[in-house]
Amino acid sequence: QQQVKQSPQSLIVQKGGISIINCAYENTAFDYFPWYQQFPGKGPALLIAIRPDVSEKKEGRFTISFNKSAKQFSLHIMDSQPGDSATYFCAAGDSGGYQKVTFGTGTKLQVIP
Amino acid sequence: DTGVSQDPRHKITKRGQNVTFRCDPISEHNRLYWYRQTLGQGPEFLTYFQNEAQLEKSRLLSDRFSAERPKGSFSTLEIQRTEQGDSAMYLCASSLGGGRGRSYEQYFGPGTRLTVT
């Protein structure tokens, strides 16, 4: 049972372009939605997170958009740079539980010069 | 550096051997999580500690796996009688807990890459 669906599986974007990664969830108990960035051989690093009481959160070049009624959320990376090339995971957590997070399957982003 | 640390970073073992991994969380974090990540997949939850108490275990955690956090600080994950299917990256994460502010944010260590031959 895949509780968090992520797309696309891979993405190639030109430098300076916008990278968009989409996720959808099923469990309405989820109320915490982080995004993680992972480089090869490293652990995931928390990038940005949102709670369902807001529809958008922006931190630098990274923006999360959240649609509670559709149970969807997305990550936008503005002005994408080659250094952004990594695998990105969306995740969802339930603050009423033990706050473990359920991860999506990941999107491998390549930003080409 | 005050981040989550894991040891060893890499472990190669033969099938049937036992292995133990260690995780040192961020010092003020009272919640600790173990995840497993296989190639091309997202991390999957294995188990969770609040202080020294192990409060939840995934069905992925067979009886060959055991985890401890004896003094509510570092944690160990032991795999007995390893199988080739255990080959994966084992990740540890910690969070502050307490239900306020950014207490839910989990910070991951670099992981231990296990290869079972």
Side-chain angles (χ1 to χ4, degrees), chain B residues 2 8 36 79 112:
Chain B
T2 57
R36 181 173 69 187
I79 309 174
T112 294

Side-chain angles (χ1 to χ4, degrees), chain A residues 10 23 47 54 66 88 106:
Chain A
S10 64
C23 284
L47 199 57
V54 296
F66 184 81
Y88 292 81

Side-chain angles (χ1 to χ4, degrees), chain B residues 76-91:
Chain B
T76 58
L77 178 67
E78 181 183 16
I79 309 174
Q80 296 183 326
R81 306 180 304 281
T82 52
E83 301 173 356
Q84 288 189 322
D86 297 332
S87 295
M89 175 82 88
Y90 290 84
L91 293 161

